[in-house]
Amino acid sequence: KVADLKGLKQGQLRLAVITTAKYFIPRLLGPFCQLYPGIDIALQVTNHEGILERMSANLDDLYILSQVPEHMDVNYQPFLENPMVVVAPINHRLAKEKKISIQQLEDEPFIMREPGSGTRRSIQKLFDEHNITVKVKLELGSNEAIKQAIAGGLGISVLSRHTLLPELADLTILDVEHFPIKRDWYMVYPNGKQLSIVARTYCEYLLDAAKQFNQKTIGVYAEAER
Ligand code: PGA
């Protein structure tokens, strides 16, 4: 019976996720663990480069990131959108403007993530495509710290929209052309690796949770972006 099978799902699940997924994945672990009390979880949160290092060393069962590694033979599946938006303080002079040109970002002090960050790579790629050079005023290794710095008036930045879900009180999303940068979160594991039953159970759970999240948050995002 299914119920018996559930009881049999025991063991450890080792997950490594990029920084933006920490706004989504831990929240889901509670219900997952209630469903499968026999499963213990170890969760690592690190930047894109950190994930690649862990993957090369085969340290975890599953990885969640936004750019599929190019130089590794991996299995991957997108499960949720992870768009990146331009974030400014709520009282910013461009806050009410529509269709801001991407060139206008060159006039703003910019807060940038650290080298090795996938966020930084995506921003740099878009800026390179449009020959944009921003004035990096501050480099910070954390999305949370960037949000606080923006709220403190140090500059603007580009962040995953998921980082804004918990609170959007002091911040706003600017309507800049070519944004949001479209991307997804992917579940990834090395090709040829045999996934444990525990890991496969988690994959199914995550796909289902992502579907529900999509249904629930479309409204939340529309609200936040108004
Ligand atoms: P990062 O990755 O923490 O390496 O910037 C986040 C993301 O790509 O969403």
Side-chain angles (χ1 to χ4, degrees), residues 18-21 46-49 65-67 82 84 113-114 116-122 143 160 183-185:
I18 45 161
T19 64
T20 51
T46 175
N47 71 9
H48 182 81
E49 196 170 86
L65 40 61
S66 312
Q67 280 137 318
N82 180 23
M84 310 221 326
R113 283 282 305 276
E114 76 286 359
S117 146
T119 301
R120 177 177 172 135
R121 263 226 270 168
S122 307
N143 300 315
S160 159
R183 56 223 283 272
D184 294 295
W185 275 326

Side-chain angles (χ1 to χ4, degrees), residues 19-226:
T19 64
T20 51
K22 87 165 189 210
Y23 298 88
F24 181 69
I25 297 296
R27 220 178 266 216
L28 286 179
L29 290 179
F32 180 74
C33 290
Q34 267 163 17
L35 211 50
Y36 303 104
I39 298 180
D40 300 321
I41 297 174
L43 174 69
Q44 294 288 331
V45 181
T46 175
N47 71 9
H48 182 81
E49 196 170 86
I51 298 284
L52 296 189
E53 281 164 14
R54 294 190 67 88
M55 211 184 300
S56 319
N58 197 17
L59 294 182
D60 312 274
D61 297 307
L62 278 175
Y63 302 86
I64 290 171
L65 40 61
S66 312
Q67 280 137 318
V68 177
E70 291 144 22
H71 305 295
M72 280 185 229
D73 186 17
V74 295
N75 232 298
Y76 61 91
Q77 176 162 17
F79 66 95
L80 197 60
E81 288 181 7
N82 180 23
M84 310 221 326
V85 292
V86 184
V87 187
I90 191 124
N91 56 2
H92 193 275
R93 63 187 173 80
L94 296 175
K96 298 231 153 56
E97 279 199 29
K98 296 273 164 240
K99 300 208 171 77
I100 300 162
S101 75
I102 192 167
Q103 279 76 21
Q104 277 183 269
L105 299 185
E106 293 190 323
D107 304 330
E108 302 294 321
F110 199 89
I111 307 171
M112 188 64 106
R113 283 282 305 276
E114 76 286 359
S117 146
T119 301
R120 177 177 172 135
R121 263 226 270 168
S122 307
I123 301 171
Q124 205 55 60
K125 182 165 169 278
L126 181 74
F127 285 173
D128 288 349
E129 280 164 15
H130 296 278
N131 275 317
I132 302 292
T133 312
V134 289
K135 288 182 293 218
V136 178
K137 166 103 181 159
L138 185 63
E139 197 173 284
L140 283 177
S142 133
N143 300 315
E144 273 315 296
I146 290 182
K147 280 181 353 190
Q148 297 307 323
I150 298 170
L154 279 171
I156 65 168
S157 189
V158 174
L159 293 171
S160 159
R161 198 162 58 174
H162 288 280
T163 68
L164 301 175
L165 258 196
E167 83 278 23
L168 200 56
D170 304 327
L171 305 175
T172 189
I173 296 172
L174 297 185
D175 180 19
V176 180
E177 60 175 359
H178 308 298
F179 285 91
I181 302 178
K182 255 186 76 70
R183 56 223 283 272
D184 294 295
W185 275 326
Y186 296 87
M187 268 189 293
V188 180
Y189 60 92
N191 227 341
K193 181 171 171 140
Q194 184 75 37
L195 279 193
S196 66
I197 295 185
V198 167
R200 266 186 283 152
T201 306
Y202 182 75
C203 283
E204 281 163 28
Y205 176 83
L206 186 55
L207 287 178
D208 190 53
K211 222 181 278 165
Q212 287 180 29
F213 177 89
N214 266 334
Q215 281 159 7
K216 259 195 297 188
T217 50
I218 285 164
V220 176
Y221 281 147
E223 182 73 18
E225 276 163 25
R226 227 182 286 137

